[in-house]
Amino acid sequence: MVEVKLGSLAIDCPNPLELATFYSRLLGLEMNGEDAVLTPEGREIWFQKVDDYQAPTWPTQERGQQMHFDFTVRDIEEAQAYAIELGAKLVDDGQESFHVLLDPAGHPFCLCKQRNE
């Protein structure tokens, strides 16, 4: 069987440093210098500049999500307030188990309630 492993993820955006800073603060991660790179659990997340970037139009599919993170949290309301404080925008908090927000570049992401273990 061929072995394939995830090496890194690149996210298109208009301002890499701004978006990397948002996710760095949201996730409590350090950025690797000024390269706008985060390394959660040894995997790299790159933020790359795209000229004439157009944000997703979630929930419509006119311009699809382009990428989507699900983050597990203990307290959705607390995490939501913190994400909004950092620059996210709330778009759907109607679900008990997850809320949908947009990052500063317009990518949707979910805050998902941690399941009891």
Side-chain angles (χ1 to χ4, degrees):
M1 178 176 206
V2 175
E3 184 176 309
V4 178
K5 293 182 179 182
L6 177 63
S8 63
L9 171 69
I11 300 172
D12 292 349
C13 59
N15 185 328
L17 190 54
E18 176 188 54
L19 196 58
T21 299
F22 169 80
Y23 282 110
S24 172
R25 292 180 65 200
L26 181 68
L27 300 171
L29 298 170
E30 294 290 324
M31 281 194 298
N32 290 349
E34 295 182 19
D35 288 334
V37 177
L38 304 178
T39 54
E41 299 177 20
R43 303 291 183 238
E44 292 180 337
I45 302 175
W46 291 83
F47 300 87
Q48 57 189 18
K49 181 172 177 48
V50 172
D51 293 330
D52 301 320
Y53 172 80
Q54 293 188 10
T57 56
W58 192 92
T60 73
Q61 293 300 308
E62 182 181 335
R63 281 190 308 277
Q65 294 183 42
Q66 301 174 10
M67 73 99 196
H68 179 105
F69 284 121
D70 283 345
F71 299 115
T72 303
V73 298
R74 291 180 191 203
D75 183 324
I76 290 180
E77 299 299 329
E78 180 182 44
Q80 175 181 296
Y82 183 61
I84 291 169
E85 179 183 315
L86 296 176
K89 293 180 184 169
L90 177 66
V91 292
D92 184 358
D93 64 352
Q95 304 295 321
E96 184 177 325
S97 61
F98 68 93
H99 293 181
V100 182
L101 296 92
L102 302 177
D103 70 21
H107 301 109
F109 67 93
C110 290
L111 299 174
C112 304
K113 187 175 183 176
Q114 182 176 359
R115 296 180 186 175
N116 294 335
E117 296 178 10

